[in-house]
């Protein structure tokens, strides 16, 4: 049979997952694999070991892969690690933090929600007080990069408070792991959660959890769901050379192994983080030149995704702006902040500063509310 060429992508995804992936990653999905064959399970084992090495140089850590979108992995952790008598604190400042509290509500896990709103950092003094005042608390969860706004949360400071109080620390590092340098041992993270289609630049289909081995040993029998039982999934992978309990996303897994190769080839997380920072810098400077303002101050922003205020002009409509950009080969993200009108642009994926320069030119041509109708007439919208 003749090899089939990959279809052309109609646009670059400037969304933080799924994101623009390389042709070589997509190509890896064009073969089928058997879920109980050693060759496939060896790929899984290598992925697990490599994830641990990316998370920390220290020993004593392990990883588990879990089917589903990133939220399934968050739900797996929340539902599997907190004992029947346990209590969770969720430190939130956006949709993804609130989602952790929502998961706890669904699972009827007692919890406190410390919500700072969407444009402020976590209230560390309030966290310290809460931990001191309620001895029933066992676990604290926080989001690292809050993708709602692009805010980077101070997980080092949060972790110190959590550990001084002797609690277990859970971090949703979904949109930062692989794109921002961190050592989970130094940050005292017990359970770190991320997924295939964020900064490792794979395709969607599974998430992963990196945890202290000793913590994993403690959680047997706590799960509130069969298919999201973190301990059981881990035990199966440990005892059966990387075997998943139920059908694994084989194509996605093979693509992810290639994505890890490409992360190494780029120079590891430090080099990737440098590229993302460059993308972000070029984007923010260029957007400011075009008259756009960022939602967050410089020190709050992550190099992952950036929120910009929508133009105040009465003729501006996100949908029209989006369509004009899509016709020019770029897809951006609507805003997710409840109290400010914004749109978002992601910097992650197989995106380079030259792509951002082209994007800026396209945005300059798509500001239809500023231009005479003729300059954007070609669009037909
Ligand atoms: C992407 C993301 C998730 C998971 O979202 P899914 O749509 O379930 O993949 C969770 N938390 C954060 C911070 C994210 O960016």
């Amino acid at each position: 049979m003749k090899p089939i060429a990959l279809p052309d992508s109609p646009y670059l995804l400037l969304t933080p997952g799924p994101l623009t992936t390389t042709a070589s990653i997509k190509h890896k999905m064009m073969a089928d694999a058997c879920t109980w064959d050693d060759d496939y399970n060896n790929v899984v084992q290598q992925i697990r070991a490599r994830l641990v090495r990316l998370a920390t140089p220290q020993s004593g850590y392990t990883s588990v892969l879990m089917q589903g979108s990133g939220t399934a992995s968050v739900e797996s952790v929340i539902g599997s690690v907190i004992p029947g008598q346990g209590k969770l604190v969720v430190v939130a400042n956006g949709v993804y933090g609130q989602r952790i509290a929502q998961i706890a509500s669904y699972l009827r896990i007692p919890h406190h929600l410390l919500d700072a709103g969407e444009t402020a950092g976590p209230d560390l003094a309030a966290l310290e007080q809460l931990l001191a005042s309620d001895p029933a608390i066992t676990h604290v969860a926080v989001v690292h990069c809050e993708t709602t706004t692009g805010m980077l949360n101070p997980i080092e400071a949060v972790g110190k408070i959590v550990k001084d109080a002797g609690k277990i620390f859970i971090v949703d590092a979904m949109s930062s792991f692989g794109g921002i340098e961190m050592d989970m041992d130094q940050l005292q993270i017990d359970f770190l959660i991320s997924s295939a289609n964020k900064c490792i630049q794979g395709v969607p289909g599974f998430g992963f959890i990196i945890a202290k081995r000793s913590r994993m040993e403690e959680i047997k029998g706590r799960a509130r769901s069969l298919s999201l039982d973190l301990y059981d999934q881990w035990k199966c992978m440990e005892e059966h050379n990387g075997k998943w309990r139920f059908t694994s996303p084989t194509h996605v897994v093979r693509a992810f192994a290639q994505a890890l190769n490409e992360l190494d080839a780029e120079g590891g997380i430090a080099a990737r983080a440098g590229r993302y920072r460059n993308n972000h810098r070029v984007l923010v400077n260029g957007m400011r030149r075009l008259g756009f303002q960022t939602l967050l101050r410089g020190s709050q922003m992550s190099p992952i995704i950036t929120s910009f205020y929508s133009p105040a002009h009465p003729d501006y409509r996100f949908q029209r702006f989006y369509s004009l950009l899509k016709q020019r080969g770029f897809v951006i993200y609507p805003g997710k902040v409840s109290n400010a009108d914004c749109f978002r642009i992601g910097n992650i994926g197989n995106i380079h500063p030259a792509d951002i320069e082209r994007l800026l030119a396209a945005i300059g041509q798509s500001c239809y509310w500023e231009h005479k109708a003729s300059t954007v007439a070609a669009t037909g919208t």
Side-chain angles (χ1 to χ4, degrees):
M1 200 186 85
K2 272 200 290 181
I4 301 170
L6 295 174
D8 291 333
S9 296
Y11 42 67
L12 278 186
L13 280 167
L14 298 166
T15 57
L19 33 67
T20 302
T21 57
T22 62
S24 38
I25 286 172
K26 288 188 268 284
H27 189 257
K28 280 286 172 192
M29 292 189 287
M30 295 178 82
D32 305 309
C34 171
T35 54
W36 53 263
D37 184 75
D38 277 346
D39 290 338
Y40 174 71
N41 287 326
N42 289 340
V43 172
V44 175
Q45 289 297 70
Q46 281 160 20
I47 287 173
R48 292 181 61 214
R50 290 170 85 173
L51 287 174
V52 171
R53 284 200 297 275
L54 289 175
T56 178
Q58 303 302 322
S59 58
Y61 288 80
T62 184
S63 72
V64 193
L65 314 186
M66 185 63 77
Q67 296 94 331
S69 82
T71 304
S73 284
V74 177
E75 190 153 356
S76 165
V77 170
I78 300 302
S80 302
V81 310
I82 300 167
Q85 302 303 311
K87 192 167 186 178
L88 173 70
V89 176
V90 181
V91 179
N93 50 0
V95 169
Y96 292 99
Q98 285 163 0
R99 189 178 295 173
I100 298 176
Q102 196 185 7
I103 289 169
S105 295
Y106 263 71
L107 299 176
R108 296 179 171 68
I109 294 170
H111 61 280
H112 296 278
L113 174 60
L114 264 187
D115 196 337
E118 288 166 328
T119 51
D123 185 342
L124 299 177
L127 174 63
E128 217 167 343
Q129 265 172 23
L130 181 59
L131 293 179
S133 68
D134 185 352
I137 295 166
T138 49
H139 294 68
V140 177
V142 69
V143 175
H144 187 203
C145 171
E146 190 31 278
T147 320
T148 311
T149 53
M151 189 177 315
L152 198 60
N153 279 321
I155 51 170
E156 187 167 4
V158 174
K160 187 169 183 318
I161 292 169
V162 172
K163 286 296 149 182
D164 285 350
K167 312 301 180 187
I168 292 172
F169 190 31
I170 300 167
V171 175
D172 170 349
M174 202 73 64
S175 62
S176 58
F177 184 75
I180 294 176
E181 287 175 278
M182 63 180 109
D183 174 347
M184 72 178 283
D185 187 76
Q186 217 177 332
L187 292 165
Q188 308 188 79
I189 300 170
D190 295 287
F191 295 92
L192 180 150
I193 309 152
S194 188
S195 78
N197 63 287
K198 301 263 168 130
C199 298
I200 308 285
Q201 298 184 182
V203 301
F206 71 90
F208 52 87
I209 294 93
I210 308 170
K212 281 210 172 101
R213 193 169 275 279
S214 56
R215 288 278 173 244
M216 288 298 299
E217 293 287 4
E218 288 169 5
I219 64 169
K220 183 177 182 175
R222 291 183 184 173
R224 292 158 179 84
S225 154
L226 170 70
S227 57
L228 296 177
D229 186 334
L230 183 64
Y231 179 84
D232 231 42
Q233 181 91 334
W234 178 64
K235 265 291 158 194
C236 186
M237 289 187 171
E238 286 287 287
E239 290 174 359
H240 302 283
N241 188 42
K243 177 99 175 53
W244 304 47
R245 290 173 306 159
F246 312 128
T247 303
S248 67
T250 47
H251 304 80
V252 177
V253 167
R254 283 167 44 82
F256 189 73
Q258 176 65 20
L260 287 170
N261 292 342
E262 294 180 16
L263 174 60
D264 281 353
E266 186 170 352
I269 292 176
R272 179 156 297 177
R275 171 164 62 87
Y276 290 169
R277 279 195 303 272
N278 281 339
N279 286 348
H280 179 250
R281 189 174 37 77
V282 173
L283 177 71
V284 169
N285 290 343
M287 289 296 277
R288 284 182 175 151
R289 272 198 303 277
L290 289 169
F292 292 91
Q293 287 178 351
T294 59
L295 173 74
L296 302 178
R297 281 179 286 111
S299 61
Q300 296 176 307
M301 285 194 269
S302 68
I304 305 296
I305 181 168
T306 310
S307 295
F308 295 96
Y309 281 109
S310 301
H313 198 286
D315 291 345
Y316 171 81
R317 297 285 178 279
F318 175 75
Q319 199 53 46
R320 173 130 194 245
F321 184 44
Y322 170 90
S323 301
L324 290 169
L325 283 175
K326 184 175 161 190
Q327 286 167 26
R328 294 184 164 104
F330 301 95
V331 160
I332 64 167
Y333 232 28
K336 214 171 189 170
V337 182
S338 40
N339 58 1
D341 192 2
C342 293
F343 62 88
R344 294 177 294 168
I345 299 181
N347 309 301
I348 64 176
N350 183 33
I351 302 288
H352 301 263
D355 298 312
I356 302 288
E357 298 282 8
R358 288 193 301 115
L359 167 74
L360 290 165
I363 289 176
Q365 292 160 358
S366 303
C367 297
Y368 66 89
W369 57 94
E370 285 183 351
H371 300 302
K372 292 224 161 34
S374 61
T375 57
V376 287
T379 64
T381 40

